[in-house]
Amino acid sequence: MRLVIARCSVDYVGRLTAHLPMAPRLILMKADGSVSIHADDRAFKPLNWMNPPCKVREESIDGVVTWSVVHGKTGEKLVLTIEEILHDSSHELGIDPGLRKDGVEAHLQELLAEHITTLGDGWTLVRREYMTAIGPVDILCRDHLGGAVAVEIKRRGDIDGVEQLTRYLELLNRDPRLAPVKGIFAAQEIKPQARVLAADRGIECVTLDYDALRGIEPENPTLF
């Protein structure tokens, strides 16, 4: 990973156009080919980014340094105009062991994989922990029509989980063996904001009953 802190402006040229005026920013250039630009006030979310595959071309013309980040398939690009580099370092991080889920979340994944027809009659499991370039999808399965479905499981579902699933779907839908891939965001509790974002992204939300998946009858059964 290459970490660069620089005074720069950023222009995005593609289906939409966007401009970030000159300011100090953190630029992350990862081994997977992705490039993202960060400010110091937005937690983990970048100001702008380019997903792989992409190439970076550095040029200096009349004293003006520009980095052009061009997407290999769409031709969209980020153009960074560098005024001053304050820090530039590279680090080898190696293979990440991945996120280790807490007991309940991991058990939810195991139970749902075992009872995949909870999501619909005729559904079948492809595999748990289906690996992508940015991490494993909790469950990859197929619906009753044979379509691929990626399922992200959380104990409490919030916006971050929907964003995570969105990134997985973007990668999976580039695989012609799987595309088109639908998404399901499954949790014991899903926050209203997460439901709104999921609906906007075309992702279905499913509320999981932990006890029901474990085969435990409710304490206060009802007739209807």
Side-chain angles (χ1 to χ4, degrees):
M1 176 184 290
R2 183 180 177 187
L3 307 176
V4 179
I5 298 176
R7 282 188 54 81
C8 63
S9 62
V10 183
D11 290 279
Y12 182 86
V13 181
R15 290 167 293 180
L16 301 173
T17 58
H19 174 72
L20 294 171
M22 190 69 66
R25 297 189 175 92
L26 169 65
I27 305 164
L28 297 182
M29 306 172 76
K30 296 185 179 181
D32 66 0
S34 63
V35 177
S36 56
I37 296 96
H38 298 258
D40 203 18
D41 61 351
R42 296 186 57 178
F44 66 90
K45 189 173 183 179
L47 296 166
N48 215 325
W49 67 93
M50 186 69 74
N51 289 323
C54 57
K55 293 184 178 180
V56 180
R57 183 175 68 251
E58 300 185 18
E59 296 179 304
S60 180
I61 302 175
D62 297 329
V64 178
V65 177
T66 60
W67 296 356
S68 297
V69 185
V70 182
H71 194 275
K73 293 184 177 180
T74 66
E76 296 178 278
K77 62 182 178 179
L78 288 174
V79 179
L80 290 75
T81 303
I82 310 294
E83 185 177 86
E84 180 184 9
I85 293 180
L86 306 172
H87 174 86
D88 189 349
S89 64
S90 297
H91 308 270
E92 180 60 53
L93 301 184
I95 299 175
D96 191 271
L99 178 67
R100 296 189 176 183
K101 301 177 183 295
D102 64 46
V104 173
E105 197 168 298
H107 200 202
L108 277 171
Q109 182 193 120
E110 180 182 347
L111 289 168
L112 186 57
E114 184 179 350
H115 304 286
I116 198 66
T117 53
T118 300
L119 300 176
D121 292 337
W123 286 48
T124 56
L125 175 69
V126 175
R127 67 167 297 166
R128 292 171 54 194
E129 301 288 332
Y130 186 89
M131 187 58 64
T132 74
I134 58 173
V137 177
D138 286 336
I139 290 177
L140 184 69
C141 57
R142 291 193 180 274
D143 62 20
H144 66 291
L145 297 176
V149 183
V151 185
E152 181 63 25
I153 299 171
K154 300 293 183 186
R155 184 170 58 177
R156 293 185 179 87
D158 56 22
I159 286 177
D160 289 350
V162 178
E163 292 282 11
Q164 182 181 1
L165 178 54
T166 300
R167 293 191 293 271
Y168 288 146
L169 289 171
E170 183 176 350
L171 286 176
L172 291 171
N173 273 300
R174 295 177 187 172
D175 187 340
R177 298 170 301 175
L178 297 175
V181 185
K182 297 186 296 185
I184 288 182
F185 187 53
Q188 288 179 281
E189 174 189 351
I190 301 177
K191 294 183 178 180
Q193 299 92 329
R195 288 185 180 275
V196 171
L197 181 60
D200 182 68
R201 303 281 173 85
I203 294 171
E204 181 183 351
C205 287
V206 173
T207 303
L208 298 176
D209 187 325
Y210 185 49
D211 287 340
L213 285 172
R214 296 166 65 199
I216 298 176
E217 295 292 334
E219 293 183 2
N220 300 305
T222 58
L223 293 176
F224 304 100

